[in-house]
Amino acid sequence: MSIWWQSATPAGSVDWARMDLDLELIERTVASLHEQEPAFDWVGVYFVDGDTLVLGPFRGEPTEHERIPVGAGVCGAVAAKGETEVVPDVRERPGHIVCDLHTRSEVVAPIVREGRVLGVLDIDSNRPRAFGDREVQLIEEAAQEIAASA
């Protein structure tokens, strides 16, 4: 499976230079997580653009949710709070945005630099309760590496 990448067109006004992130590292990180972790059925990064999250590199099935308001769903809540959220069963999480009917659990970690949320790393699994401490730590470390990539 090839890496899916949303072109600059959907991203609109995202100022990539201001974010100062290594997009190649992000693409490699997304690909590596997806390939090396069997439970990670969808792996992607959303970047903050004002009050909206804009989909960047991802692996897995394409989604119609290329833009998510900050504060909406799991990704938007993590972008607003700056804290990782683990959802053992997305069917039990109020406000969850359904991107794929097969998704059963999700972890979203903020990408934070100097106290500012630049985006989120979103991981979905088709299995309920797919994420233990090891997986959450791996995801949070990947988000930190992305944030430090400049």
Side-chain angles (χ1 to χ4, degrees):
M1 177 184 298
S2 63
I3 195 160
W4 291 89
W5 168 245
Q6 296 303 111
S7 72
T9 304
S13 63
V14 173
D15 184 350
W16 302 109
R18 179 179 53 84
M19 291 180 74
D20 200 27
L21 292 171
D22 183 341
L23 292 177
E24 289 181 15
L25 176 119
I26 294 169
E27 290 175 350
R28 286 192 311 271
T29 301
V30 165
S32 176
L33 288 170
H34 188 261
E35 291 166 7
Q36 294 178 10
E37 294 293 325
F40 294 11
D41 294 301
W42 194 93
V43 178
V45 172
Y46 284 90
F47 299 104
V48 173
D49 182 20
D51 61 356
T52 304
L53 292 172
V54 179
L55 183 59
F58 68 96
R59 279 262 177 126
E61 294 298 318
T63 177
E64 65 186 44
H65 298 282
E66 296 176 1
R67 293 179 166 276
I68 298 172
V70 170
V74 181
C75 289
V78 169
K81 295 177 185 175
E83 299 174 3
T84 299
E85 183 171 346
V86 180
V87 184
D89 189 339
V90 297
R91 295 176 185 178
E92 296 176 6
R93 203 274 190 187
H96 176 260
I97 297 172
V98 179
C99 293
D100 182 339
L101 293 174
H102 297 99
T103 298
R104 292 296 308 277
S105 56
E106 180 173 19
V107 175
V108 180
I111 299 168
V112 180
R113 183 188 302 142
E114 298 175 1
R116 188 168 137 241
V117 177
L118 302 177
V120 299
L121 176 58
D122 181 18
I123 314 288
D124 297 346
S125 179
N126 294 344
R127 294 183 247 165
R129 294 166 182 71
F131 305 105
D133 291 340
R134 183 190 72 80
E135 291 82 8
V136 173
Q137 181 178 355
L138 180 68
I139 293 163
E140 289 180 328
E141 287 173 357
Q144 291 168 1
E145 289 174 18
I146 290 169
S149 69

